[in-house]
Amino acid sequence: MCGIVGIRDAGGVSFSIYHALYALQHRGQESAGISTFDGTRLFKHKGQGLVAEVFDSAILEALEGNVGIGHVRYPTTGANRPENAQPFNFVFRDRIISIAHNGNLVNSRELREEFERRGQIFCSTTDTELIAKVITDEMSTSGCIEDAVHRCMRVLKGSYSVVMMIDGVLYGFRDPLGIKPLCLGRTEKGIIIASESVAVDALGGSFLRDVLPGELICIDDEGMRSLQIARSSQRAHCIFEYIYFARADAVLDGALVYDVRLKIGEKLHEEAPVCADSVCPVPDSGTAYAIGYSAGSGIPFVESLLKNRYMGRTFIMSTQNEREKAVRIKLNPIRKHLEGRSVVLVDDSIVRGTTSRRIIGIMRDAGAREIHVRIGSPPIIAPCYLGVDMPTREELIANGRAEEDVRRRITATTLHHVTIDALVEAIGLGRENLCTGCLTGCYPVEIAGEKSAPPAVDYVDGTYQTKLETFGT
Ligand code: AMP
C-alpha cells in the first residue's frame, strides 16, 4: 500500500505533485516525498508524516522543474525509518535517477542476497532500492532503459507499480499481472501517471486510461510512448483495492469503485435479507455498501455513528490496547437513532475483528436492540504478500473459524459476509483477473509455503514503441 505519482507539465510540477499526493493520502500516511528535475539538477524533499506536514509553500517553491515524481508511504516491506521514505534518488554513471514504487516483492530476500554476494551495498530496506539495483545492473551492460525494465519484469516476483525519472525522462510501469493500480491522465499542459484516477481529478485533468499490466510508458520531450514488455492472458488485480483500499470515487481498471461497493451492498441484501428499522454504515468505509443495502431492501439509510474527521486510521496504532481506545474516539453513536432499534450495520471487511466488536459494543451501549452485521468482503482468511498491510494468519479472526463463531466473538445478532461469486460479479472483471489471495489462500505468484496458481506470462522482444501522444517542450 502506497501512492505514487509522476507528472510532466510545462508549467512546473511541484504543486501539482503535492495536490496529487494529497488526493492519494489514503494510500499511505507514514511518509511523503517529491523529486523534481529542471533539466540539469534534481530537487528533492521527503519526510515522515502526512503530505501537509512534510511540505509547505516554501519547500514546494524550491522544487523546480517541469518533471517530477512523488510518493506516499504505507509500510509493507521495510521498517518505519526515515531512510525508507521515497522517492529513492541516486546518480548512476552521471545519470540522475529517482524512483518510487507501490507494491511488494516476494523474492526480495533472494535478490538482495544475490546483489550482496556480488559486493553491492544497500542503504535502505525497501523493495524500491532493489528495483533500482536491477535497473542499474542491466543499464550497466546494455545502457538501455527498456532492457532494464524488461529485466525487472522477468526477475521481480510480486506486485510493483513504478514511477521513475531518469535525467528528466518520466517512466511508469506495472507488473505483468497488474496487481497494483496505475493510470494515465492529461492535464492542461502535461501528463500524469498516478496510482488512482482521483489524483488526475484533483488536478482538474482528464483520465486517459490505465497503464496496462506489463506495459512501460515513457514520457519525454517528444511525447508519450508505450512499450508492451510482458503479456499474460490473465490479470491479477488486487481485490482488496475494490473492497477497502482505493477511494470510492476512483475508477480502477475500468470499474468505478463506488459502483462496485453499491452493487455489493445490494447483493448483501439479496444473500442475507433481514427485517430491521434502519441500515447504518460504519463510516466511511461502509457507506457505499450501506446505501446499496438500503436501496435493495427499502430499509431506510440512517447514519447512527459519526466519525471524527481529524483522526487517522485506527491501524496506525501499534498496540491492541491503543487500537481499542482509538475506535471510541473515532466513532460516536447517535443515541436517538439507535435506542430500541434493530439496525443493519454495514462495513467493508473484518480483519482482526477488533473494530466490529468495539463498534457493536458502542451501539449496544447506546441502546440498539439488534445489530445485524453485513460485510462487503468474504471472510479474510489469509495474509497478503502483495502489498496490503494485513496481519498474520493467527490474528485474522476468520482464519479457521466458522462465520457463527466470528459472529459470537464480535457479539453481532446475525452476521453475513458477501460471497466471493457476488463480489467478483460486482467488480465485473472476471475471477481469473483478480488476486483473491487474502480470501482464498491461493496467490497469483509463487510464494514459499503457500498455494499458488501463477498465470503464464510471455515477454515481448524488440523495442517497438507505440507513439501515444506528441507534444513540444
Ligand atoms: P479490524 O477487524 O479491527 O482489524 O478492522 C477492520 C477495519 O479496518 C475494516 O472495516 C476496514 O475499514 C479497515 N481495514 C481493513 N483492512 C485494513 C488495512 N489493511 N489497513 C487499515 N485499515 C484496514
Side-chain angles (χ1 to χ4, degrees):
M1 298 172 23
C2 282
I4 56 172
V5 58
I7 301 182
R8 186 197 153 95
D9 194 309
V13 290
S14 65
F15 282 87
S16 303
I17 295 174
Y18 172 79
H19 294 139
L21 290 180
Y22 218 108
L24 297 174
Q25 184 77 83
H26 62 289
R27 299 188 69 88
Q29 303 90 42
E30 186 190 279
S31 67
I34 297 178
S35 302
T36 60
F37 188 75
D38 75 346
T40 44
R41 290 168 303 168
L42 183 85
F43 299 84
K44 54 184 193 285
H45 183 80
K46 53 188 177 181
Q48 306 275 97
L50 300 173
V51 178
E53 294 165 343
V54 173
F55 297 97
D56 59 26
S57 302
I59 292 170
L60 291 171
E61 298 279 2
L63 296 169
E64 295 174 26
N66 292 342
V67 57
I69 63 172
H71 185 265
V72 284
R73 174 176 160 81
Y74 193 118
T76 41
T77 293
N80 179 1
R81 282 195 243 134
E83 65 270 25
N84 283 344
Q86 296 184 39
F88 184 68
N89 305 299
F90 58 99
V91 176
F92 178 74
R93 292 194 171 159
D94 295 332
R95 305 187 80 172
I96 300 174
I97 304 179
S98 183
I99 178 167
H101 156 241
N102 169 214
N104 200 52
L105 302 180
V106 297
N107 63 338
S108 47
R109 173 140 20 118
E110 295 91 295
L111 289 173
R112 192 172 267 268
E113 281 170 6
E114 195 184 307
F115 280 115
E116 284 173 345
R117 259 199 305 277
R118 283 155 44 195
Q120 303 249 11
I121 59 160
F122 287 88
C123 59
S124 76
T125 55
T126 60
D127 285 349
T128 315
E129 189 177 4
L130 202 51
I131 298 173
K133 278 269 193 295
V134 174
I135 287 173
T136 52
D137 201 42
E138 184 65 31
M139 278 168 69
S140 69
T141 49
S142 87
C144 169
I145 311 300
E146 285 75 14
D147 286 349
V149 177
H150 203 289
R151 168 96 173 275
C152 276
M153 291 200 189
R154 280 179 183 276
V155 306
L156 303 177
K157 302 277 176 261
S159 65
Y160 49 92
S161 281
V162 175
V163 286
M164 178 168 73
M165 186 170 65
I166 303 186
D167 290 337
V169 179
L170 181 61
Y171 297 91
F173 59 94
R174 201 172 171 197
D175 66 69
L177 302 178
I179 300 173
K180 292 278 111 189
L182 196 66
C183 72
L184 287 173
R186 190 187 287 119
T187 56
E188 209 183 315
K189 291 191 202 139
I191 295 286
I192 166 168
I193 308 176
S195 294
E196 289 181 34
S197 59
V198 293
V200 181
D201 300 338
L203 301 184
S206 50
F207 176 78
L208 284 172
R209 64 170 174 85
D210 294 288
V211 174
L212 298 173
E215 182 183 27
L216 167 67
I217 297 287
C218 165
I219 300 160
D220 61 15
D221 287 351
E222 284 162 28
M224 178 160 72
R225 284 165 307 192
S226 150
L227 175 62
Q228 190 66 44
I229 291 179
R231 274 187 219 279
S232 172
S233 58
Q234 275 172 251
R235 299 169 168 213
H237 302 314
C238 167
I239 206 160
F240 206 66
E241 290 274 351
Y242 293 96
I243 295 170
Y244 170 75
F245 199 48
R247 265 172 51 165
D249 48 343
V251 179
L252 292 190
D253 292 297
L256 172 63
V257 175
Y258 195 94
D259 275 353
V260 170
R261 294 180 186 167
L262 212 58
K263 274 188 215 148
I264 296 171
E266 286 168 7
K267 287 184 185 293
L268 276 170
H269 164 251
E270 282 163 29
E271 291 181 348
V274 65
C275 198
D277 300 312
S278 64
V279 178
C280 165
V282 174
D284 300 317
S285 56
T287 303
Y289 297 96
I291 293 173
Y293 195 99
S294 170
S297 63
I299 302 171
F301 173 88
V302 181
E303 288 182 276
S304 310
L305 295 162
L306 262 282
K307 185 172 171 182
N308 180 334
R309 295 206 173 146
Y310 303 98
M311 177 100 190
R313 288 182 176 183
T314 55
F315 264 52
I316 298 168
M317 315 297 145
S318 57
T319 67
Q320 189 69 8
N321 190 19
E322 276 177 346
R323 265 195 291 274
E324 302 225 350
K325 271 196 285 179
V327 177
R328 194 75 225 211
I329 302 164
K330 191 171 171 181
L331 292 174
N332 196 32
I334 302 179
R335 188 170 279 275
K336 186 167 169 250
H337 293 177
L338 293 167
E339 231 155 24
R341 303 271 182 100
S342 168
V343 180
V344 182
L345 177 70
V346 190
D347 202 2
D348 63 294
S349 59
I350 299 179
V351 182
R352 295 180 174 88
T354 324
T355 313
S356 311
R357 198 180 57 248
R358 293 290 305 172
I359 290 173
I360 291 167
I362 290 169
M363 291 171 76
R364 285 204 199 279
D365 288 349
R369 186 167 46 85
E370 292 176 351
I371 300 167
H372 302 279
V373 176
R374 299 293 179 266
I375 299 295
S377 76
I380 294 172
I381 55 156
C384 178
Y385 299 92
L386 297 170
V388 177
D389 180 36
M390 286 277 187
T392 58
R393 266 201 171 79
E394 294 63 45
E395 289 173 283
L396 293 168
I397 191 170
N399 172 42
R401 288 195 183 96
E403 198 168 62
E404 172 56 17
D405 193 359
V406 175
R407 181 200 67 74
R408 217 170 341 101
R409 282 170 190 258
I410 64 168
T411 73
T413 311
T414 65
L415 168 66
H416 178 73
H417 290 81
V418 82
T419 57
I420 195 156
D421 289 345
L423 168 63
V424 167
E425 200 190 313
I427 297 172
L429 298 174
R431 187 161 177 167
E432 67 287 3
N433 292 317
L434 292 164
C435 172
T436 58
C438 59
L439 311 176
T440 59
C442 182
Y443 300 86
V445 293
E446 263 174 55
I447 296 165
E450 297 285 2
K451 267 198 292 178
S452 66
V457 175
D458 289 330
Y459 295 89
V460 184
D461 279 326
T463 54
Y464 175 72
Q465 296 197 341
T466 314
K467 213 170 245 181
L468 299 175
E469 178 139 354
T470 316
F471 46 78
T473 42

